[in-house]
Short mmCIF file of all heavy atoms in Angstrom, two decimals:
data_model
loop_
_atom_site.label_atom_id
_atom_site.label_comp_id
_atom_site.label_asym_id
_atom_site.label_seq_id
_atom_site.Cartn_x
_atom_site.Cartn_y
_atom_site.Cartn_z
N LYS R 301 -4.52 -11.00 -10.22
CA LYS R 301 -4.08 -12.35 -9.86
C LYS R 301 -2.58 -12.37 -9.61
O LYS R 301 -1.77 -12.06 -10.49
CB LYS R 301 -4.44 -13.31 -10.99
CG LYS R 301 -4.13 -14.74 -10.70
CD LYS R 301 -5.21 -15.36 -9.88
CE LYS R 301 -4.96 -16.87 -9.82
NZ LYS R 301 -5.69 -17.48 -8.78
N GLY R 302 -2.18 -12.65 -8.36
CA GLY R 302 -0.77 -12.75 -8.00
C GLY R 302 -0.07 -11.43 -7.70
O GLY R 302 1.08 -11.43 -7.31
N ASN R 303 -0.77 -10.29 -7.85
CA ASN R 303 -0.18 -8.98 -7.57
C ASN R 303 -0.83 -8.38 -6.33
O ASN R 303 -2.04 -8.16 -6.31
CB ASN R 303 -0.37 -8.03 -8.76
CG ASN R 303 0.46 -8.45 -9.94
OD1 ASN R 303 1.61 -8.83 -9.81
ND2 ASN R 303 -0.14 -8.39 -11.12
N TRP R 304 -0.01 -8.11 -5.35
CA TRP R 304 -0.48 -7.60 -4.06
C TRP R 304 0.04 -6.20 -3.82
O TRP R 304 1.15 -5.86 -4.21
CB TRP R 304 0.00 -8.51 -2.94
CG TRP R 304 -0.61 -9.87 -2.99
CD1 TRP R 304 -0.23 -10.92 -3.78
CD2 TRP R 304 -1.73 -10.32 -2.25
NE1 TRP R 304 -1.03 -12.00 -3.57
CE2 TRP R 304 -1.97 -11.66 -2.63
CE3 TRP R 304 -2.56 -9.73 -1.30
CZ2 TRP R 304 -3.00 -12.41 -2.08
CZ3 TRP R 304 -3.58 -10.49 -0.75
CH2 TRP R 304 -3.80 -11.81 -1.15
N THR R 305 -0.76 -5.38 -3.16
CA THR R 305 -0.34 -4.05 -2.75
C THR R 305 -1.12 -3.68 -1.49
O THR R 305 -2.11 -4.32 -1.15
CB THR R 305 -0.56 -3.01 -3.87
OG1 THR R 305 0.14 -1.81 -3.52
CG2 THR R 305 -2.03 -2.70 -4.08
N TYR R 306 -0.67 -2.64 -0.83
CA TYR R 306 -1.37 -2.17 0.36
C TYR R 306 -2.61 -1.38 -0.05
O TYR R 306 -2.59 -0.62 -1.02
CB TYR R 306 -0.45 -1.29 1.23
CG TYR R 306 0.64 -2.10 1.86
CD1 TYR R 306 1.92 -2.11 1.33
CD2 TYR R 306 0.38 -2.88 2.98
CE1 TYR R 306 2.92 -2.87 1.90
CE2 TYR R 306 1.38 -3.65 3.56
CZ TYR R 306 2.65 -3.64 3.01
OH TYR R 306 3.63 -4.41 3.57
N LEU R 307 -3.70 -1.56 0.69
CA LEU R 307 -4.94 -0.85 0.40
C LEU R 307 -4.71 0.65 0.37
O LEU R 307 -5.27 1.34 -0.49
CB LEU R 307 -6.01 -1.22 1.43
CG LEU R 307 -7.36 -0.53 1.27
CD1 LEU R 307 -7.99 -0.87 -0.09
CD2 LEU R 307 -8.28 -0.94 2.40
N GLN R 308 -3.88 1.17 1.27
CA GLN R 308 -3.66 2.62 1.29
C GLN R 308 -3.04 3.10 -0.02
O GLN R 308 -3.33 4.20 -0.48
CB GLN R 308 -2.82 3.06 2.49
CG GLN R 308 -1.41 2.55 2.52
CD GLN R 308 -1.21 1.35 3.42
OE1 GLN R 308 -2.17 0.65 3.76
NE2 GLN R 308 0.01 1.08 3.81
N ASP R 309 -2.21 2.29 -0.66
CA ASP R 309 -1.63 2.67 -1.95
C ASP R 309 -2.73 2.85 -2.99
O ASP R 309 -2.74 3.84 -3.73
CB ASP R 309 -0.64 1.61 -2.46
CG ASP R 309 0.62 1.51 -1.63
OD1 ASP R 309 0.77 2.29 -0.68
OD2 ASP R 309 1.45 0.65 -1.95
N LEU R 310 -3.64 1.89 -3.06
CA LEU R 310 -4.72 1.97 -4.03
C LEU R 310 -5.62 3.18 -3.76
O LEU R 310 -6.01 3.90 -4.69
CB LEU R 310 -5.56 0.69 -4.02
CG LEU R 310 -4.87 -0.58 -4.46
CD1 LEU R 310 -5.82 -1.78 -4.32
CD2 LEU R 310 -4.39 -0.47 -5.90
N LEU R 311 -5.95 3.40 -2.49
CA LEU R 311 -6.83 4.52 -2.15
C LEU R 311 -6.20 5.87 -2.47
O LEU R 311 -6.86 6.75 -3.02
CB LEU R 311 -7.22 4.45 -0.67
CG LEU R 311 -8.10 3.27 -0.27
CD1 LEU R 311 -8.28 3.23 1.24
CD2 LEU R 311 -9.44 3.31 -0.99
N VAL R 312 -4.92 6.03 -2.16
CA VAL R 312 -4.23 7.29 -2.46
C VAL R 312 -4.12 7.49 -3.96
O VAL R 312 -4.37 8.58 -4.47
CB VAL R 312 -2.84 7.34 -1.78
CG1 VAL R 312 -2.02 8.53 -2.27
CG2 VAL R 312 -3.00 7.41 -0.26
N ARG R 313 -3.74 6.45 -4.70
CA ARG R 313 -3.60 6.56 -6.16
C ARG R 313 -4.90 6.97 -6.83
O ARG R 313 -4.89 7.69 -7.82
CB ARG R 313 -3.16 5.22 -6.76
CG ARG R 313 -1.73 4.91 -6.56
CD ARG R 313 -1.39 3.60 -7.26
NE ARG R 313 -0.15 3.08 -6.75
CZ ARG R 313 0.11 1.80 -6.54
NH1 ARG R 313 -0.79 0.88 -6.82
NH2 ARG R 313 1.27 1.42 -6.07
N GLN R 314 -6.03 6.50 -6.30
CA GLN R 314 -7.32 6.81 -6.90
C GLN R 314 -7.95 8.08 -6.34
O GLN R 314 -9.05 8.45 -6.73
CB GLN R 314 -8.28 5.63 -6.71
CG GLN R 314 -7.86 4.39 -7.48
CD GLN R 314 -7.79 4.65 -8.97
OE1 GLN R 314 -8.69 5.23 -9.56
NE2 GLN R 314 -6.71 4.23 -9.60
N GLY R 315 -7.26 8.73 -5.41
CA GLY R 315 -7.76 9.98 -4.86
C GLY R 315 -8.81 9.82 -3.78
O GLY R 315 -9.57 10.75 -3.51
N PHE R 316 -8.85 8.67 -3.11
CA PHE R 316 -9.84 8.44 -2.06
C PHE R 316 -9.24 8.45 -0.66
O PHE R 316 -9.92 8.08 0.30
CB PHE R 316 -10.58 7.13 -2.31
CG PHE R 316 -11.45 7.18 -3.52
CD1 PHE R 316 -11.16 6.40 -4.63
CD2 PHE R 316 -12.54 8.03 -3.58
CE1 PHE R 316 -11.94 6.45 -5.76
CE2 PHE R 316 -13.33 8.09 -4.71
CZ PHE R 316 -13.04 7.30 -5.80
N ALA R 317 -7.98 8.84 -0.55
CA ALA R 317 -7.34 8.95 0.76
C ALA R 317 -6.24 10.00 0.64
O ALA R 317 -5.75 10.29 -0.44
CB ALA R 317 -6.74 7.61 1.19
N ARG R 318 -5.87 10.55 1.77
CA ARG R 318 -4.77 11.52 1.78
C ARG R 318 -3.64 10.98 2.63
O ARG R 318 -3.85 10.07 3.45
CB ARG R 318 -5.24 12.88 2.27
CG ARG R 318 -5.79 12.87 3.67
CD ARG R 318 -6.43 14.20 4.01
NE ARG R 318 -7.00 14.13 5.33
CZ ARG R 318 -6.52 14.75 6.38
NH1 ARG R 318 -5.46 15.52 6.27
NH2 ARG R 318 -7.08 14.63 7.56
N VAL R 319 -2.48 11.51 2.45
CA VAL R 319 -1.30 11.08 3.19
C VAL R 319 -1.17 11.98 4.41
O VAL R 319 -0.91 13.17 4.28
CB VAL R 319 -0.03 11.15 2.32
CG1 VAL R 319 1.18 10.64 3.10
CG2 VAL R 319 -0.21 10.38 1.03
N ASP R 320 -1.36 11.39 5.59
CA ASP R 320 -1.33 12.18 6.82
C ASP R 320 -1.25 11.20 7.98
O ASP R 320 -1.59 10.03 7.85
CB ASP R 320 -2.60 13.02 6.93
CG ASP R 320 -2.51 14.07 8.00
OD1 ASP R 320 -1.39 14.44 8.41
OD2 ASP R 320 -3.57 14.55 8.44
N GLY R 321 -0.79 11.68 9.10
CA GLY R 321 -0.84 10.87 10.31
C GLY R 321 0.44 10.12 10.60
O GLY R 321 1.50 10.39 10.05
N ILE R 322 0.31 9.16 11.45
CA ILE R 322 1.43 8.39 11.96
C ILE R 322 1.74 7.24 11.01
O ILE R 322 0.84 6.66 10.43
CB ILE R 322 1.08 7.84 13.36
CG1 ILE R 322 0.79 9.02 14.29
CG2 ILE R 322 2.19 6.98 13.92
CD1 ILE R 322 0.14 8.61 15.58
N THR R 323 2.99 6.91 10.89
CA THR R 323 3.39 5.82 10.01
C THR R 323 4.04 4.70 10.80
O THR R 323 4.48 4.90 11.93
CB THR R 323 4.40 6.31 8.95
OG1 THR R 323 5.55 6.80 9.63
CG2 THR R 323 3.81 7.39 8.08
N THR R 324 4.11 3.56 10.19
CA THR R 324 4.79 2.41 10.77
C THR R 324 5.55 1.71 9.65
O THR R 324 5.12 1.75 8.50
CB THR R 324 3.79 1.44 11.44
OG1 THR R 324 4.50 0.42 12.13
CG2 THR R 324 2.85 0.81 10.45
N PRO R 325 6.69 1.11 9.95
CA PRO R 325 7.40 0.37 8.90
C PRO R 325 6.51 -0.74 8.33
O PRO R 325 5.71 -1.35 9.04
CB PRO R 325 8.61 -0.23 9.63
CG PRO R 325 8.79 0.64 10.83
CD PRO R 325 7.41 1.11 11.22
N LEU R 326 6.63 -0.97 7.05
CA LEU R 326 5.84 -2.00 6.39
C LEU R 326 6.50 -3.36 6.58
O LEU R 326 7.70 -3.49 6.39
CB LEU R 326 5.71 -1.70 4.90
CG LEU R 326 5.09 -0.34 4.56
CD1 LEU R 326 5.17 -0.09 3.07
CD2 LEU R 326 3.66 -0.28 5.06
N PRO R 327 5.73 -4.38 6.95
CA PRO R 327 6.31 -5.71 7.15
C PRO R 327 6.89 -6.27 5.85
O PRO R 327 6.28 -6.14 4.79
CB PRO R 327 5.13 -6.56 7.61
CG PRO R 327 3.99 -5.64 7.80
CD PRO R 327 4.31 -4.34 7.19
N ASP R 328 8.04 -6.86 5.93
CA ASP R 328 8.69 -7.51 4.79
C ASP R 328 8.84 -6.59 3.58
O ASP R 328 8.78 -7.04 2.44
CB ASP R 328 7.94 -8.78 4.37
CG ASP R 328 7.91 -9.81 5.48
OD1 ASP R 328 8.92 -9.89 6.22
OD2 ASP R 328 6.90 -10.50 5.63
N ASP R 329 8.99 -5.29 3.81
CA ASP R 329 9.14 -4.33 2.72
C ASP R 329 10.51 -3.68 2.86
O ASP R 329 10.87 -3.23 3.94
CB ASP R 329 8.03 -3.28 2.81
CG ASP R 329 7.87 -2.50 1.53
OD1 ASP R 329 8.83 -1.85 1.11
OD2 ASP R 329 6.76 -2.55 0.95
N LYS R 330 11.26 -3.65 1.79
CA LYS R 330 12.63 -3.13 1.85
C LYS R 330 12.70 -1.60 1.84
O LYS R 330 13.73 -1.03 2.12
CB LYS R 330 13.43 -3.69 0.68
CG LYS R 330 13.67 -5.19 0.79
CD LYS R 330 14.47 -5.70 -0.38
CE LYS R 330 14.92 -7.11 -0.18
NZ LYS R 330 14.01 -8.16 -0.31
N ARG R 331 11.58 -0.93 1.53
CA ARG R 331 11.59 0.53 1.51
C ARG R 331 11.63 1.10 2.93
O ARG R 331 11.00 0.56 3.84
CB ARG R 331 10.33 1.06 0.82
CG ARG R 331 10.24 0.70 -0.63
CD ARG R 331 8.91 1.11 -1.20
NE ARG R 331 7.87 0.22 -0.67
CZ ARG R 331 6.60 0.28 -1.03
NH1 ARG R 331 6.20 1.17 -1.91
NH2 ARG R 331 5.72 -0.56 -0.52
N SER R 332 12.35 2.21 3.07
CA SER R 332 12.32 2.91 4.36
C SER R 332 10.98 3.63 4.47
O SER R 332 10.28 3.85 3.48
CB SER R 332 13.46 3.92 4.44
OG SER R 332 13.24 4.99 3.54
N VAL R 333 10.63 4.02 5.69
CA VAL R 333 9.39 4.77 5.90
C VAL R 333 9.43 6.06 5.08
O VAL R 333 8.45 6.43 4.45
CB VAL R 333 9.18 5.07 7.40
CG1 VAL R 333 8.03 6.03 7.60
CG2 VAL R 333 8.94 3.78 8.17
N GLU R 334 10.57 6.72 5.04
CA GLU R 334 10.71 7.98 4.30
C GLU R 334 10.50 7.76 2.79
O GLU R 334 9.82 8.54 2.13
CB GLU R 334 12.08 8.61 4.55
CG GLU R 334 12.30 9.10 5.96
CD GLU R 334 12.65 7.98 6.95
OE1 GLU R 334 13.05 6.87 6.51
OE2 GLU R 334 12.47 8.20 8.16
N THR R 335 11.08 6.69 2.25
CA THR R 335 10.91 6.38 0.83
C THR R 335 9.45 6.08 0.52
O THR R 335 8.89 6.57 -0.46
CB THR R 335 11.79 5.19 0.42
OG1 THR R 335 13.16 5.55 0.63
CG2 THR R 335 11.58 4.80 -1.03
N TYR R 336 8.83 5.28 1.36
CA TYR R 336 7.43 4.92 1.15
C TYR R 336 6.54 6.16 1.21
O TYR R 336 5.66 6.35 0.36
CB TYR R 336 7.00 3.87 2.17
CG TYR R 336 5.57 3.44 1.98
CD1 TYR R 336 5.16 2.84 0.81
CD2 TYR R 336 4.63 3.66 2.98
CE1 TYR R 336 3.84 2.44 0.63
CE2 TYR R 336 3.31 3.27 2.81
CZ TYR R 336 2.93 2.67 1.63
OH TYR R 336 1.63 2.29 1.45
N LEU R 337 6.76 7.02 2.20
CA LEU R 337 5.96 8.25 2.31
C LEU R 337 6.15 9.14 1.08
O LEU R 337 5.19 9.74 0.59
CB LEU R 337 6.33 9.02 3.57
CG LEU R 337 5.70 8.52 4.86
CD1 LEU R 337 6.26 9.28 6.05
CD2 LEU R 337 4.19 8.66 4.80
N SER R 338 7.36 9.22 0.58
CA SER R 338 7.63 10.01 -0.62
C SER R 338 6.83 9.45 -1.81
O SER R 338 6.24 10.21 -2.58
CB SER R 338 9.12 10.01 -0.92
OG SER R 338 9.39 10.69 -2.11
N GLN R 339 6.80 8.13 -1.93
CA GLN R 339 6.03 7.51 -3.02
C GLN R 339 4.54 7.78 -2.86
O GLN R 339 3.85 8.10 -3.84
CB GLN R 339 6.31 6.01 -3.07
CG GLN R 339 7.71 5.68 -3.53
CD GLN R 339 8.06 4.21 -3.37
OE1 GLN R 339 7.36 3.45 -2.71
NE2 GLN R 339 9.15 3.82 -3.99
N LEU R 340 4.03 7.68 -1.64
CA LEU R 340 2.62 7.97 -1.40
C LEU R 340 2.30 9.42 -1.73
O LEU R 340 1.26 9.72 -2.34
CB LEU R 340 2.24 7.67 0.05
CG LEU R 340 1.95 6.24 0.42
CD1 LEU R 340 1.61 6.14 1.92
CD2 LEU R 340 0.82 5.65 -0.40
N ARG R 341 3.18 10.33 -1.34
CA ARG R 341 2.95 11.76 -1.65
C ARG R 341 2.95 12.01 -3.15
O ARG R 341 2.16 12.83 -3.65
CB ARG R 341 4.00 12.62 -0.95
CG ARG R 341 3.77 12.69 0.54
CD ARG R 341 4.75 13.62 1.24
NE ARG R 341 4.55 13.56 2.67
CZ ARG R 341 5.44 13.11 3.54
NH1 ARG R 341 6.63 12.70 3.13
NH2 ARG R 341 5.17 13.09 4.81
N ASP R 342 3.80 11.30 -3.88
CA ASP R 342 3.80 11.40 -5.35
C ASP R 342 2.46 10.91 -5.92
O ASP R 342 1.89 11.55 -6.80
CB ASP R 342 4.95 10.61 -5.96
CG ASP R 342 6.30 11.24 -5.75
OD1 ASP R 342 6.37 12.43 -5.39
OD2 ASP R 342 7.31 10.52 -5.93
#
């Protein structure tokens, strides 16, 4: 309730998706694409 995240974050965290492919900047997100990709890889 009140906590939002991107579906890809949940899928990667639970091991149901891999980090690969083309990226796009996230709307209204202060992280750079590089920072976000680093977090997803972690």
Side-chain angles (χ1 to χ4, degrees):
K301 184 82 170 163
N303 291 318
W304 294 81
T305 193
Y306 291 100
L307 179 60
Q308 65 261 20
D309 292 358
L310 295 177
L311 293 174
V312 170
R313 284 183 198 142
Q314 293 300 314
F316 292 113
R318 60 189 177 109
V319 182
D320 192 21
I322 300 167
T323 60
T324 187
L326 302 173
D328 299 325
D329 197 300
K330 292 181 170 74
R331 295 173 288 183
S332 69
V333 171
E334 293 79 18
T335 298
Y336 181 62
L337 280 174
S338 176
Q339 291 171 347
L340 279 179
R341 288 184 184 116
D342 288 345

